[in-house]
Amino acid sequence: MMRRTPMARGAGFKRPTYQRAPCSAPTRGRGGVISRVAGTVLAVEKENALQHQGYMKLVRQLPCAHCGIVGHTQFCHADEGKGERIKTDCRRGWPGCGPHGDSMGCHYLLGSTGKLGRAERRRLEALYGAQTRATIIAMGLWPARLPMLEVGP
């Protein structure tokens, strides 16, 4: 069947309209993101994530926090607070093994497979991050110019 008149564009196809955030509020690309909630535009502050290469190098020297394998460790950023092109603070990171043998590694298992639910993944990442910080402090290797992470209750 051939339609003689074009389809009318209904109200269900209208795109939402976005407004710019005020100049004082951060916008995409300047440390924040603009989100639309119930017709109101809100600027959402992003964490001022710290990336310290020395700390990440120390973490890579530790065994995998999930399975304990030595020699295949990668630095794993925690997922909470992460977004497109935004990494979380390195002090929340933990050591996870990368590909070895027939395994894709724990970094892939926890971060990409979806086998663990969000709540379980966040719980494990918080636990592994705390254990990693405690291990580095106990070894007396915490970098001198890296401030300690203040973790809430």
Side-chain angles (χ1 to χ4, degrees):
M1 176 173 162
M2 187 172 184
R3 186 178 281 277
R4 300 278 178 208
T5 57
M7 288 181 63
R9 187 171 174 129
F13 292 98
K14 287 185 181 177
R15 294 183 181 194
T17 56
Y18 293 91
Q19 300 171 355
R20 279 193 83 103
C23 292
S24 61
T27 58
R28 199 176 302 250
R30 284 189 264 153
V33 67
I34 298 174
S35 62
R36 185 174 182 270
V37 179
T40 306
V41 176
L42 301 172
V44 180
E45 289 279 345
K46 287 293 183 184
E47 175 184 347
N48 188 11
L50 184 65
Q51 301 301 315
H52 190 278
Q53 296 302 319
Y55 181 78
M56 290 191 276
K57 184 177 179 179
L58 286 170
V59 172
R60 284 187 209 102
Q61 294 172 2
L62 298 174
C64 175
H66 192 67
C67 71
I69 194 168
V70 178
H72 299 280
T73 307
Q74 299 175 339
F75 183 85
C76 304
H77 284 90
D79 279 346
E80 191 167 7
K82 192 159 90 167
E84 184 178 343
R85 295 177 297 209
I86 299 171
K87 293 288 188 187
T88 56
D89 195 304
C90 72
R91 296 169 294 180
R92 295 183 186 277
W94 50 278
C97 62
H100 57 278
D102 292 335
S103 172
M104 289 299 292
C106 297
H107 190 177
Y108 177 75
L109 171 72
L110 268 71
S112 300
T113 62
K115 289 183 178 180
L116 300 175
R118 177 184 286 175
E120 178 65 9
R121 191 174 70 241
R122 299 267 165 89
R123 184 189 72 76
L124 286 174
E125 288 174 344
L127 174 68
Y128 295 158
Q131 289 173 348
T132 302
R133 290 188 300 275
T135 300
I136 290 175
I137 290 168
M139 292 168 53
L141 297 175
W142 190 269
R145 295 187 180 180
L146 180 63
M148 291 286 184
L149 180 66
E150 295 181 25
V151 181

